[in-house]
Amino acid sequence: MQKKIFAVIGNPVSHSKSPDIYNYLFKKYNIDGTYIAIELNEENIEQFLKEFAKGMNLKGVNVTMPLKEKAATLSRRLDSLSELLKTVNTLDLTTGTGYTTDGKGLLLSLNYRGFDITGKNVVVIGAGGAAKSICYEIARAKVNSLTILNRTLLKAKELADIVGGAIKTDDLSKMDEYMQDCDLLINCTSIGMKGKDFEDLSFINLLKKNSFVYDIIYEPRKTRLLKEAEKNNIKCCNGLDMLICQAFYAFEIFSGIMPDKEERDELLNML
């Protein structure tokens, strides 16, 4: 029987930890599968999925930037969340169905860390990419409030309209105004990656000591945002935990098996 192939597609993907995560899970659960990284752009994803995927026995892909929106248009069907957001991060090629697991992954990560967001005031920085599904899941998790801050206020308002509910939006320059009541701060932007950073991190000093700072970036492992949080003795987490947890949901789609906290702990130590 031909080995099942799975892959992460996008550009760039050479840095991706996904092959390490899935190949570990395949071995753990005795699944005859291999996971690889394939660099694709918007210009060649359609040809790849239609002409090459079947020939190489590709059964499923995880989709990263900049292909999430394009992959949604190429799916035969979408789950309800992907239909709403017009984006996917997981494609089951055996059924042609697109899924979105980022938001669920972040909530599972927080749950594993013992942080209950019920009744909390949550502030999300950013309104694109993973922020979409993260805001969707948070808005339905019985939080006290959700505020989206973005450099382009219109994009924050558009996301709030899509997600629905009583979501506040504001310009990122107003950050300080929301920090005192904030219980969970999530950076969903690329601010903090190489060549990009917050001009001023003094807003961290306004956070409560029992708050939580989550940066979905995982390279570098400790952004300046997380370093400042640690200096203030505030609990924090980088994006590697979310990457692992959202992969668990995708792995369940591919295999029918949902890994547990033990596997998550092993992967955090391994990666």
Side-chain angles (χ1 to χ4, degrees), residues 15 34-35 45 76 84 103 106 131 141 147-148 166 168 170-171 193 195 206 216 238-239 242 249-250:
H15 69 289
T34 298
Y35 194 102
I45 179 178
R76 287 206 296 271
L84 177 69
L106 183 132
T147 303
I148 304 172
K168 303 171 190 173
D170 213 334
D171 191 276
M193 293 179 74
L206 303 174
I216 71 167
N238 67 29
M242 178 183 126
Y249 285 104

Side-chain angles (χ1 to χ4, degrees), residues 17 73 160 228 253 263:
K17 300 295 182 187
T73 68
E228 283 299 312
I253 291 166
E263 280 75 55

Side-chain angles (χ1 to χ4, degrees), residues 9-257:
I9 59 173
N11 189 7
V13 291
S14 59
H15 69 289
S16 177
K17 300 295 182 187
S18 293
D20 295 325
I21 294 170
Y22 287 91
N23 286 322
Y24 161 86
L25 292 172
F26 289 150
K27 186 176 180 180
K28 183 84 175 179
Y29 290 101
N30 297 311
I31 293 171
D32 188 23
T34 298
Y35 194 102
I36 59 176
I38 301 173
E39 192 166 291
L40 293 174
N41 294 306
E42 287 190 21
E43 299 77 37
N44 54 21
I45 179 178
E46 184 171 7
Q47 181 185 23
F48 174 80
L49 291 176
K50 286 183 176 178
E51 297 179 18
F52 299 110
K54 192 173 182 181
M56 62 186 290
N57 203 33
L58 193 65
K59 298 299 183 182
V61 294
N62 294 113
V63 187
T64 187
M65 299 305 289
L67 302 178
K68 291 186 175 186
E69 286 79 14
K70 182 69 174 179
T73 68
L74 298 173
S75 303
R76 287 206 296 271
R77 62 184 67 85
L78 298 170
D79 72 347
S80 56
L81 175 54
S82 300
E83 182 71 52
L84 177 69
L85 302 179
K86 308 301 181 193
T87 180
V88 300
N89 76 336
T90 302
L91 256 178
D92 179 356
L93 296 178
T94 64
T95 63
T97 306
Y99 301 86
T100 300
T101 66
D102 287 326
K104 290 195 292 186
L106 183 132
L107 293 190
L108 180 60
S109 165
L110 287 170
N111 179 262
Y112 283 160
R113 289 176 179 272
F115 189 86
D116 182 6
I117 69 171
T118 305
K120 299 293 196 297
N121 297 311
V122 183
V123 176
V124 171
I125 304 170
K132 295 179 179 179
S133 64
I134 287 171
C135 288
Y136 177 91
E137 299 294 348
I138 288 172
R140 284 151 182 80
K142 297 180 181 178
V143 295
N144 184 57
S145 69
L146 170 59
T147 303
I148 304 172
L149 303 177
N150 199 52
R151 281 176 174 165
T152 308
L153 182 55
L154 180 60
K155 284 190 175 181
K157 288 181 176 177
E158 287 174 349
L159 177 55
D161 288 342
I162 292 170
V163 170
I167 300 174
K168 303 171 190 173
T169 59
D170 213 334
D171 191 276
L172 187 57
S173 63
K174 306 279 187 65
M175 171 92 79
D176 288 6
E177 297 177 20
Y178 296 91
M179 292 300 96
Q180 224 164 10
D181 294 325
C182 177
D183 298 301
L184 172 62
L185 176 65
I186 308 171
N187 177 35
C188 291
T189 73
S190 58
I191 301 172
M193 293 179 74
K194 191 175 181 182
K196 303 176 183 178
D197 219 325
F198 290 95
E199 293 176 11
D200 180 13
L201 283 165
S202 60
F203 61 83
I204 292 291
N205 300 322
L206 303 174
L207 288 169
K208 295 176 284 190
K209 294 301 180 186
N210 63 344
S211 60
F212 196 107
V213 175
Y214 207 122
D215 196 333
I216 71 167
I217 293 169
Y218 62 89
E219 290 294 347
R221 296 295 170 94
K222 276 190 185 176
T223 59
R224 278 185 61 231
L225 176 66
L226 296 183
K227 287 176 182 177
E228 283 299 312
E230 285 187 341
K231 276 184 195 175
N232 283 269
N233 296 313
I234 294 171
K235 289 182 180 178
C236 58
C237 176
N238 67 29
L240 186 61
D241 206 1
M242 178 183 126
L243 179 73
I244 293 168
C245 290
Q246 66 82 23
F248 282 6
Y249 285 104
F251 184 76
E252 184 181 29
I253 291 166
F254 296 150
S255 69
I257 300 168

